[in-house]
Amino acid sequence: MIIDIVVITFVVMGLVLFSVGTLGILRLPDAYTRMHAAGKLDTLGSICLLFGLALWQGRHFDLAHLIVAAKILLILVFVSFASPTATHDMVDAGMRAGIIPWRKGDKRR
Amino acid sequence: MKAISLIAVLLAGIALVYTTSDFPAWGDPESPASLHVSNLYIEQSYEKTHTPNVVTSVLADFRGFDTMFETIVVFTAAMACFFILRRSREECVLEHYYYRHIATGLVVRMPGACATPTQGAFEQIDSDWTPQDIVVSTVCRLLIPFMQIYAFYVLAHGHYSPGGGFQAGVVMAASYLLLALSHDLRFVIARFSERLMHILAAAGVTIYVGTGFIALTTGANFLDYGGLAGLLRMPLASGHSLGILLVETGVALTVCSALIMIFKLVSSQGTINEGL
């Protein structure tokens, strides 16, 4: 019962983070700020969501379910490495390509 | 203009939703999709093919020819890419190339030097070279081995889980593309040469077709993996899974090398020398 509430909290938190990230991609003014929203919120959103799912699998506490939970945790580790690096690389590529960051008062790009 | 496109999108959406009412109900046994062969696939899949997974049995047994020609299509695409895009080694695309003296870090510009062999104290660098980004290269070094292990995992579990050859090949190719992105194109070519790529792409198709012919030699039908069991004196189910493993290996080899080949050719304008 308690674990249900914890899992639901994590999954809903992940979904909220994903929605805010999407909102950020749509509303923020330039590539760097959009990347900021996408990188941070998508990473944290997937971590919350996957952790909730791993807990949901781990609630039975037998071998088959724990293996699935461990696999989900491995995906979590992979995402937490790969997603910030991808964001970093794209921002880096933008800086090298000479895209000027947006400043307050500039036009939306 | 915005209002018109919004209306157009809304109308298209309404039309799409409206047409869904003509679709058969979910899981309707009378729907056209479940009237012909799908019942046979579902009912007789296990006893006919001894494969625990219906997706794989459809992919590798019932539609073995389909998968074989898909692999040949991938191979043909890579070959077409090669013949259309590849430039001869002598042809210069850029007017100059850059070389770096490894000991001192001095960069030399060589005008008119086409793909001079890089050996000894100098190494070739890209014309838009900037110092290596340490975050990306470190994370790629951490992740690439796991990606490749995962590719082999997907390949080896081909007959148990949906997926197999195509997916394993794509994951494997993605790991090499990541290597190219985090270092440079020559770094990948040093590890996976052009000659090896062509040999593997052709070998994949050969393995697939060869498995079919081996089955033919034992009196079974073309691509009927039960023939392998008779040849090696093993249980029928093991023969089937061995045949599927062989076939999936062929598919994975072709897909992996074809994807890397296309990536290298497109990103380097056909020179396989400097790209991205």
Side-chain angles (χ1 to χ4, degrees):
Chain A
M1 199 57 217
I2 296 169
I3 205 153
D4 285 6
I5 295 169
V6 175
V7 167
I8 289 170
T9 315
F10 269 109
V11 170
V12 168
M13 210 150 77
L15 291 177
V16 168
L17 288 169
F18 272 131
S19 334
V20 176
T22 313
L23 201 67
I25 295 171
L26 291 174
R27 297 291 303 159
L28 285 172
D30 79 330
Y32 296 119
T33 45
R34 274 181 222 137
M35 209 64 86
H36 174 81
K40 277 202 163 58
L41 292 169
D42 274 8
T43 314
L44 192 58
S46 9
I47 287 176
C48 283
L49 205 61
L50 290 169
F51 188 72
L53 294 181
L55 272 184
W56 182 248
Q57 281 295 326
R59 78 192 193 284
H60 288 298
F61 219 78
D62 55 18
L63 190 64
H65 284 90
L66 282 184
I67 285 175
V68 177
K71 283 177 184 168
I72 294 175
L73 288 179
L74 276 180
I75 299 174
L76 198 157
V77 172
F78 183 84
V79 168
S80 64
F81 273 105
S83 173
T85 311
T87 313
H88 169 88
D89 196 27
M90 277 190 264
V91 171
D92 191 52
M95 289 306 276
R96 287 179 191 205
I99 301 174
I100 302 155
W102 177 85
R103 284 171 201 282
K104 201 170 178 184
D106 284 3
K107 234 177 75 193
R108 217 183 116 82
R109 274 172 268 171
Chain B
M1 201 58 216
K2 246 182 179 174
I4 298 173
S5 42
L6 185 66
I7 292 167
V9 166
L10 278 178
L11 282 180
I14 290 168
L16 282 176
V17 172
Y18 179 69
T19 49
T20 53
S21 63
D22 287 343
F23 284 0
W26 179 257
D28 182 12
E30 299 296 314
S31 70
S34 30
L35 278 183
H36 300 286
V37 284
S38 19
N39 287 332
L40 181 120
Y41 289 162
I42 293 166
E43 284 162 11
Q44 304 182 12
S45 168
Y46 191 73
E47 62 234 53
K48 286 209 167 163
T49 66
H50 299 275
T51 308
N53 179 4
V54 180
V55 176
T56 311
S57 75
V58 170
L59 182 97
D61 280 287
F62 295 120
R63 296 192 178 172
F65 278 98
D66 186 54
T67 312
M68 186 178 87
F69 285 109
E70 272 174 25
T71 315
I72 294 174
V73 164
V74 171
F75 177 72
T76 315
M79 284 299 107
C81 220
F82 176 77
F83 284 122
I84 293 170
L85 290 176
R86 183 76 166 99
R87 292 169 191 246
S88 72
R89 219 171 275 280
E90 288 75 34
E91 196 178 344
C92 273
V93 176
L94 308 165
E95 287 89 33
H96 44 75
Y97 287 101
Y98 292 87
Y99 292 92
R100 185 169 54 147
H101 189 236
I102 295 167
T104 60
L106 281 174
V107 174
V108 188
R109 185 167 176 264
M110 297 275 284
C114 288
T116 323
T118 58
Q119 52 194 2
F122 285 91
E123 65 169 347
Q124 195 192 340
I125 57 173
D126 288 1
S127 49
D128 56 351
W129 186 79
T130 34
Q132 208 63 240
D133 186 21
I134 190 160
V135 177
V136 178
S137 53
T138 311
V139 172
C140 288
R141 194 182 305 144
L142 280 177
L143 291 186
I144 284 170
F146 292 104
M147 284 177 74
Q148 297 190 336
I149 290 174
Y150 181 65
F152 282 118
Y153 173 86
V154 171
L155 175 63
H157 288 72
H159 56 290
Y160 282 127
S161 57
F166 279 94
Q167 286 76 1
V170 169
V171 173
M172 198 62 168
S175 73
Y176 277 103
L177 303 199
L178 205 57
L179 201 64
L181 291 177
S182 66
H183 292 81
D184 57 14
L185 201 60
R186 288 181 300 279
F187 194 81
V188 179
I189 292 163
R191 278 151 187 77
F192 204 80
S193 71
E194 240 195 318
R195 176 187 296 270
L196 182 68
M197 250 177 342
H198 286 89
I199 291 173
L200 285 184
V205 175
T206 316
I207 288 173
Y208 201 127
V209 181
T211 311
F213 275 115
I214 289 173
L216 206 59
T217 58
T218 61
N221 285 328
F222 186 66
L223 283 177
D224 181 0
Y225 312 121
L228 287 177
L231 198 68
L232 297 170
R233 297 172 193 284
M234 52 166 64
L236 199 56
S238 313
H240 266 280
S241 56
L242 178 68
I244 289 173
L245 181 66
L246 281 175
V247 161
E248 305 258 26
T249 310
V251 174
L253 285 180
T254 302
V255 169
C256 174
S257 30
L259 279 180
I260 298 174
M261 203 187 295
I262 291 170
F263 169 78
K264 281 178 179 176
L265 286 164
V266 170
S267 71
S268 69
Q269 303 176 354
T271 57
I272 317 269
N273 194 10
E274 175 179 320
L276 282 176

